[in-house]
Amino acid sequence: MKVLLVIISTFALVSSYEEAADFDSFQKLKSLGVDISENDKAANGTLNCCFACDSLARSFGSVAVARAGQSSFEEWLSGFWSAQQSETFPACLFRPSNSEEAAAAVLLARLTQCEFAVKSGGHASFAGASNIRDGLTIDLASLNEVTVNEDRRVVSIGPGNRWHDVYSALEPKNLTVVGGRVASVGVGGLTLGGGISFFSNLYGWACDNIVNYEVVTASGDIINASATSNPDLFWALRGGGNNFGLVTRFNAYAYPQGLMWGGDRVFPIAVNSSLIRKFVDWGRGRNGSVEDPNGAVIISYSYDTASATWRAINSLDYAIPQPDGNHPAAFDSFFDMPSPVFDSTRTKSQSQLTLEWDAATPNGFRQTFWTLSFVLDERIISEVLQIWYEETEPLTRLNFTVQFPVLAFQVITLSQIEYMSRAGGNALGLPGSSEPLLIVNWTYMWNEESGDDKVLETYARVLSRAKAAGERLGVNHRYIYQNYASQVEDPINGYGPESKAKLLAVSQKYDPTGVFQRLQPGYFNLKGPPLSPSQAKWSS
Ligand SMILES: Cc1cc2nc3c(=O)[nH]c(=O)nc-3n(C[C@H](O)[C@H](O)[C@H](O)COP(=O)(O)OP(=O)(O)OC[C@H]3O[C@@H](n4cnc5c(N)ncnc54)[C@H](O)[C@@H]3O)c2cc1C
């Protein structure tokens, strides 16, 4: 009953969008310029992915479609971040050059019941997330506009952009948007899952800075979702991921921005307890929130194979440039430390900073991401670090030539949470939290396929030990950040029952036959993750 009341009150402004009862895919495909005949209609029911790929090539040109064996296909596969995604071979890939072509691809997948995946920057780590075996992969790379509107308040961004493209286009205009911190990460996945930026304490997460989404629905309609147009869909897209449609344009708030200040300070791991204390103090501020919202702080830990040493890394970023040799006063405590072994903090452009972060995370290796959230607490950080070290240290003695485990901590500050109520709020289920939260992100990069089970089994164990520690300390939080989650975690459940019920209602309305749920199995569906823990032989 309570859930129902929330749905009714939140969606007071619901739109009247509805798929026609006599919806006809053939008619719609023809209207979208797809070359499809009466014979094809007669064969309906036996059509498959191959038919979808052939139709796309016939209708939109063979250069828009690539298949295994073609050199463009091999090159395209290497554009995924993780090796696991690059090893996934679709029946074909299709690169739409506009929203109508993207709509045609979704409808052809629906007509032929061909499973599909959508790729923006291709940085989701596990196989199937944005590339699908034997199915249709829709690569949005050609939808790459970055256009500032006349009053310089909004930027239209195509989902084919990487964040470096966006910042480089905006920097000459002294503008920025709230987006990713690593150059080659895509606009699409990051924004649909949330999106933590250098400037999130100033302006909120990326999803809370979208004014309008242009969306291809399961019926091939191209509609807008904003606070005034389809507001229920607008709410759902703010964190609900790829479950409601294919987004062909994001309109984001623009902010004035010149140079900024930032970089990493690297220490031997021995500094660790002092660093944790400073980090928690910064995240809590004096009154529960960060005192200077221009700043962003991450602490992380990693193993350096070359020197066989464990390191602590303090990433400090600040929206305002600083004179040479100076740091922002907000970070005084972080500078009251022994000298770092490496320090890249200085004034630079945002695009430059994203390239520096990118350098540590190249394409082509095996990758895994895992996450949990807690109430911000010094004890849980220390325990999680200890658990991760105990479990990961034996892995570093295996014979991989490349291995790079990282454990990172970030605060979801109260100022970030406040922005989550903007314009009807988002789907993440976080407003209401009176305390800052902690996002933990475990990642591992390695290069031997033979190590897959070992790494994943180890991280599954790290996760369950961390949960047990959180339980004991009373600091567990249900939230699971979609953009950092592994294939066995369930971010939508982590948004809480009210949010999940609303998301299911929005999906039922905009996609009554469940095209995005049934035919797009590789990422985080509303009903569960792509792999149930019981299916994963390495999961504990
Ligand atoms: C090196 C690295 C750095 C990162 N840095 C940050 C960071 O600073 N902040 C942060 O919050 N997160 C960060 N992340 C996490 C990142 O946000 C996620 O990995 C995100 O999914 C990547 O987006 P993408 O478009 O590159 O991925 P993709 O793999 O292309 O997409 C991810 C999912 O989103 C779906 N999708 C993408 N675009 C669309 C669209 N237009 N319409 C419908 N569905 C779509 C895809 O189908 C797929 O299921 C980082 C990840 C990596 C690997």
Side-chain angles (χ1 to χ4, degrees), residues 14-342:
V14 287
S15 71
S16 55
Y17 181 87
E18 206 177 342
E19 179 173 299
D22 59 350
F23 173 72
D24 179 345
S25 303
F26 277 89
Q27 275 311 109
K28 185 76 183 183
L29 279 165
K30 279 188 178 167
S31 75
L32 289 165
V34 174
D35 179 5
I36 199 159
S37 70
E38 286 307 309
N39 286 349
D40 297 328
K41 195 165 186 175
N44 195 6
T46 61
L47 303 177
N48 55 18
C49 294
C50 206
F51 175 86
C53 294
D54 289 344
S55 299
L56 289 166
R58 222 172 32 242
S59 311
F60 305 119
S62 53
V63 288
V65 175
R67 294 179 167 91
Q70 294 176 289
S71 58
S72 60
F73 183 84
E74 304 300 323
E75 192 189 322
W76 172 78
L77 279 177
S78 66
F80 285 92
W81 181 58
S82 77
Q84 295 100 316
Q85 288 240 74
S86 300
E87 288 163 2
T88 303
F89 280 48
C92 71
L93 79 94
F94 172 60
R95 289 190 203 91
S97 60
N98 54 44
S99 308
E100 287 72 22
E101 291 184 11
V106 169
L107 263 192
L108 275 166
R110 173 175 177 170
L111 178 74
T112 59
Q113 294 293 295
C114 173
E115 291 192 337
F116 67 98
V118 174
K119 173 182 183 253
S120 168
H123 270 63
S125 60
F126 48 85
S130 44
N131 189 16
I132 183 150
R133 189 172 158 196
D134 297 333
L136 168 65
T137 297
I138 306 169
D139 183 345
L140 305 175
S142 304
L143 306 184
N144 57 0
E145 71 163 317
V146 180
T147 315
V148 180
N149 80 351
E150 246 172 51
D151 66 9
R152 292 169 51 90
R153 289 189 181 178
V154 173
V155 186
S156 296
I157 307 172
N161 285 293
R162 315 290 182 119
W163 289 106
H164 186 262
D165 306 325
V166 177
Y167 302 140
S168 310
L170 296 179
E171 275 165 8
K173 299 176 167 60
N174 285 321
L175 289 175
T176 194
V177 290
V178 177
R181 296 164 291 194
V182 172
S184 57
V185 170
V187 165
L190 181 134
T191 308
L192 288 168
I196 311 173
S197 129
F198 295 123
F199 306 135
S200 283
N201 290 319
L202 270 179
Y203 308 125
W205 284 21
C207 67
D208 298 316
N209 279 278
I210 300 300
V211 195
N212 187 77
Y213 299 82
E214 182 187 85
V215 190
V216 168
T217 67
S219 334
D221 293 326
I222 300 165
I223 63 173
N224 287 299
S226 69
T228 51
S229 174
N230 301 307
D232 45 0
L233 180 60
F234 179 59
W235 172 87
L237 288 168
R238 299 165 88 179
N242 67 8
N243 286 296
F244 308 94
L246 190 162
V247 176
T248 43
R249 185 182 304 121
F250 297 87
N251 284 4
Y253 288 119
Y255 297 102
Q257 180 66 45
L259 294 176
M260 60 180 291
W261 179 96
D264 292 341
R265 288 163 55 81
V266 180
F267 301 92
I269 202 158
V271 301
N272 135 49
S273 43
S274 139
L275 189 58
I276 292 173
R277 195 161 322 115
K278 290 168 195 288
F279 173 71
V280 171
D281 287 348
W282 172 82
R284 287 199 175 282
R286 255 179 246 122
N287 302 312
S289 196
V290 283
E291 279 155 44
D292 183 345
N294 290 296
V297 178
I298 301 177
I299 58 171
S300 54
Y301 299 87
S302 74
Y303 176 74
D304 177 44
T305 322
S307 59
T309 50
W310 294 84
R311 307 177 306 181
I313 301 138
N314 186 199
S315 306
L316 297 169
D317 303 294
Y318 199 76
I320 302 168
Q322 304 293 307
D324 270 358
N326 286 32
H327 64 261
F331 295 151
D332 275 351
S333 72
F334 292 106
F335 276 76
D336 183 16
M337 298 269 285
S339 293
V341 293
F342 171 85

Side-chain angles (χ1 to χ4, degrees), residues 486-526:
S486 71
Q487 55 271 51
V488 290
E489 294 182 83
D490 189 350
I492 304 293
N493 231 18
Y495 295 176
E498 290 177 6
S499 193
K500 182 169 173 173
K502 281 160 58 178
L503 289 170
L504 285 164
V506 174
S507 160
Q508 179 60 33
K509 175 176 167 189
Y510 288 87
D511 180 12
T513 63
V515 170
F516 287 94
Q517 296 299 294
R518 285 181 300 106
L519 295 177
Q520 199 189 205
Y523 206 54
F524 301 106
N525 278 352
L526 297 178

